[in-house]
Amino acid sequence: MPGELTVSLSVETLASGSPEERATFGLFSVTANDRLLTAGQDTDSGELRHGPFVSGYPLAEWLVWNWWRIRWEMGRPSNLISRRRWDFAHRISTVGEGFVWPNITLCTDGLQCFLESRPSCNSGAPLFRYIGAPLRETVPTQELETAIDGFVADIFDKLGDHGIRDTNLHRLWNDLETERRDPEIMLFRRLEAQLGYDPDEADETELCRHLADAKNLGEEALGEIASDSALRGHRRGRMLSAGEVSDIAQHSGFDADMNDAVAPPDEVDLPRPGNVPAWRVGKSAARKLRYQLDLDGQPIGNVKLSEFAGTTHDAISNTCRKSDAMAFVLDRQGDHARIVLRSKWEAGRRFELARLLGDRVVGRRMNYTGERLFPATRTNSYRQKMQRAFAAEFLSPFAAVEEVLDGDYSEEAQNVAAEHFNVSPMTIQTQLVNCGLLDLQDAPDISGRGAE
């Protein structure tokens, strides 16, 4: 069944080990979307199995302890130390305890969970060798939560059958359940994870200050800022405060009137966020808006693009006024707002402005229309991937791009198309890659489709 995730552990006998390990020993398997992610071969007997023989207890401990980071931390940071820490919170192979765990990485964009499974690198791996092609499966985050909860419940049943109670796992699970039931603690833990911290690792005073900013800027916006900060390797809770955002908007922003901005298209027939990849939502919204504006396949000039966003063309042409942190829209009183862009290049500023327009267009579907801050960051959250896909299709609709290229996918032809639509060549290149017309595995992913 599409979108289904199962994590199971059969019962087998273990002769030695702790009581918890012996009680929860068995054949471990993970299936996502009817695809087995744990297939391998016993290196001694040559037997093919659905998974390895392991103890489920240490894995359950690992899943519960890292639950907040698995559920909310987005993207592997650029900083080497932060990347290593990220690996220990997202890669099952780091569980340890003497078992050969599968090479499965768990990551999220906030609405969808991605499971990446890779075969063993060493053909002479001890005990069990994972085989098969690399796989990447996507399931809704709710399915991930359900699978983890079900696996932990199964481990508790196995422990209970052996009279084992009041373990460290029980204590960790009780704490997690308490935190998930309390809205304030849940927000604290979520922000902590988005910044790349383990539970209780972050400075509590600093996080409380950021949570106070959420009441001013919005909870979803705060999470986007936190994820962007973590992605760039910022530690010790360093992220923009509400005051800093306001100062940047005042000194580097441009006035905007949402009454003058383009009206969002009818949301009927738009894909529901989370049910499909982010790029489908963004691309569909861009196509509907272009149809509403009767743009056909024509390029959009700077003046028109600025008008659609409710601002003036100075927002694109005045490249001296920019933010080093991120592009964003900050609502002020009434329908007045300030638009801030980050890029120093015209094509980049056009793309950012289109991203912010897309953020507004899909805002009601994403349930953040009541917030004041609308950021465009460098993360691969669902929201940011949706923005990039919207901007790519709105500024350079792919059907029109194909007409300009006329079957010529050379670098020179891509540059001509980029100049025609006034976008970066990277935008055209990535659209070709995402649509399977150009084989360039290491091409940057502008639209966000490749990250799904």
Side-chain angles (χ1 to χ4, degrees):
M1 180 184 298
E4 184 176 272
L5 175 64
T6 59
V7 182
S8 61
L9 185 76
S10 68
V11 178
E12 299 289 342
T13 300
L14 180 65
S16 61
S18 69
E20 292 85 357
E21 288 179 340
R22 296 198 304 271
T24 60
F25 185 74
L27 190 147
F28 175 67
S29 64
V30 177
T31 303
N33 304 323
D34 291 328
R35 302 188 73 178
L36 184 64
L37 305 184
T38 50
Q41 183 179 38
D42 187 296
T43 54
D44 288 335
S45 67
E47 177 189 3
L48 297 177
R49 294 201 305 264
H50 283 184
F53 290 118
V54 300
S55 171
Y57 183 85
L59 176 59
E61 276 189 315
W62 183 87
L63 287 169
V64 174
W65 173 255
N66 292 299
W67 190 90
W68 291 105
R69 294 186 67 176
I70 292 171
R71 176 61 183 84
W72 291 108
E73 188 177 17
M74 300 176 205
R76 199 163 177 249
S78 58
N79 177 276
L80 178 60
I81 296 177
S82 298
R83 286 205 305 270
R84 289 173 177 170
R85 288 169 44 82
W86 189 93
D87 289 346
F88 275 97
H90 294 268
R91 292 186 169 172
I92 295 179
S93 59
T94 65
V95 174
E97 301 299 329
F99 297 102
V100 184
W101 299 100
N103 302 320
I104 295 178
T105 301
L106 304 171
C107 53
T108 181
D109 64 10
L111 293 182
Q112 294 188 318
C113 173
F114 311 101
L115 296 95
E116 297 180 350
S117 174
R118 295 186 177 276
S120 299
C121 297
N122 181 7
S123 59
L127 303 179
F128 194 78
R129 181 170 63 90
Y130 294 94
I131 59 177
L135 295 175
R136 181 183 173 90
E137 294 298 321
T138 304
V139 299
T141 50
Q142 182 59 51
E143 187 68 23
L144 173 69
E145 294 182 21
T146 300
I148 292 177
D149 288 0
F151 179 75
V152 174
D154 181 52
I155 296 301
F156 282 143
D157 288 341
K158 288 177 168 56
L159 291 171
D161 290 343
H162 288 75
I164 301 173
R165 296 174 178 82
D166 194 28
T167 66
N168 183 58
L169 177 60
H170 287 87
R171 290 185 286 274
L172 289 174
W173 181 251
N174 289 337
D175 289 344
L176 178 60
E177 283 196 309
T178 299
E179 292 166 353
R180 294 195 302 192
R181 285 194 299 264
D182 189 310
E184 291 189 6
I185 299 178
M186 183 177 67
L187 281 177
F188 184 95
R189 289 289 187 230
R190 174 178 168 178
L191 178 61
E192 192 176 37
Q194 288 168 328
L195 283 168
Y197 290 108
D198 288 334
D200 293 328
E201 183 188 10
D203 183 278
E204 183 176 353
T205 301
E206 193 75 10
L207 258 64
C208 287
R209 181 178 66 81
H210 292 317
L211 288 172
D213 286 343
K215 298 177 181 178
N216 185 6
L217 303 177
E219 293 174 4
E220 295 300 323
L222 185 74
E224 297 289 340
I225 297 175
S227 296
D228 185 60
S229 176
L231 182 68
R232 288 180 283 143
H234 291 182
R235 298 292 291 159
R236 303 302 106 194
R238 180 66 188 120
M239 55 183 278
L240 290 176
S241 67
E244 289 172 324
V245 169
S246 182
D247 288 343
I248 293 172
Q250 181 62 37
H251 295 104
S252 303
F254 300 86
D255 282 329
D257 190 333
M258 295 301 105
N259 285 324
D260 297 332
V262 64
D266 188 351
E267 293 183 353
V268 175
D269 297 329
L270 272 184
R272 183 171 295 279
N275 290 351
V276 299
W279 69 268
R280 290 192 183 277
V281 179
K283 192 169 186 175
S284 296
R287 286 178 171 177
K288 291 202 71 168
L289 186 58
R290 285 190 69 97
Y291 178 80
Q292 174 180 300
L293 297 172
D294 196 24
L295 293 174
D296 295 323
Q298 299 303 309
I300 302 173
N302 289 350
V303 173
K304 276 294 182 185
L305 178 58
S306 302
E307 288 177 356
F308 294 155
T311 188
T312 66
H313 71 277
D314 285 349
I316 296 175
S317 61
N318 190 348
T319 58
C320 293
R321 287 167 61 181
K322 65 185 186 68
S323 163
D324 293 330
M326 62 180 181
F328 63 88
V329 175
L330 180 65
D331 282 352
R332 293 284 178 89
Q333 293 181 342
D335 291 307
H336 177 66
R338 295 284 285 182
I339 291 180
V340 177
L341 302 179
R342 185 179 66 87
S343 178
K344 60 181 179 181
W345 308 108
E346 180 179 315
R349 293 173 78 85
R350 283 169 50 83
F351 197 82
E352 289 172 351
L353 193 59
R355 283 182 63 180
L356 295 171
L357 175 60
D359 201 61
R360 289 281 186 161
V361 166
V362 190
R364 283 178 294 179
R365 300 284 281 185
M366 298 286 284
N367 297 321
Y368 49 72
T369 51
E371 304 205 337
R372 290 188 59 228
L373 178 65
F374 303 86
T377 72
R378 283 161 277 191
T379 68
N380 271 333
S381 72
Y382 194 96
R383 180 175 183 174
Q384 303 305 318
K385 290 187 288 187
M386 180 280 298
Q387 290 180 13
R388 296 184 191 108
F390 176 93
E393 182 67 17
F394 189 67
L395 295 178
S396 51
F398 190 68
V401 170
E402 282 193 293
E403 288 186 15
V404 173
L405 293 174
D406 194 24
D408 181 1
Y409 304 136
S410 66
E411 183 177 349
E412 292 77 12
Q414 293 177 46
N415 289 335
V416 169
E419 184 176 354
H420 178 74
F421 292 103
N422 200 359
V423 297
S424 73
M426 193 183 299
T427 301
I428 302 298
Q429 181 187 71
T430 306
Q431 287 177 298
L432 290 171
V433 172
N434 288 340
C435 290
L437 297 175
L438 188 66
D439 184 14
L440 196 59
Q441 295 182 357
D442 58 350
D445 186 6
I446 294 298
S447 74
R449 178 174 179 177
E452 325 265 12

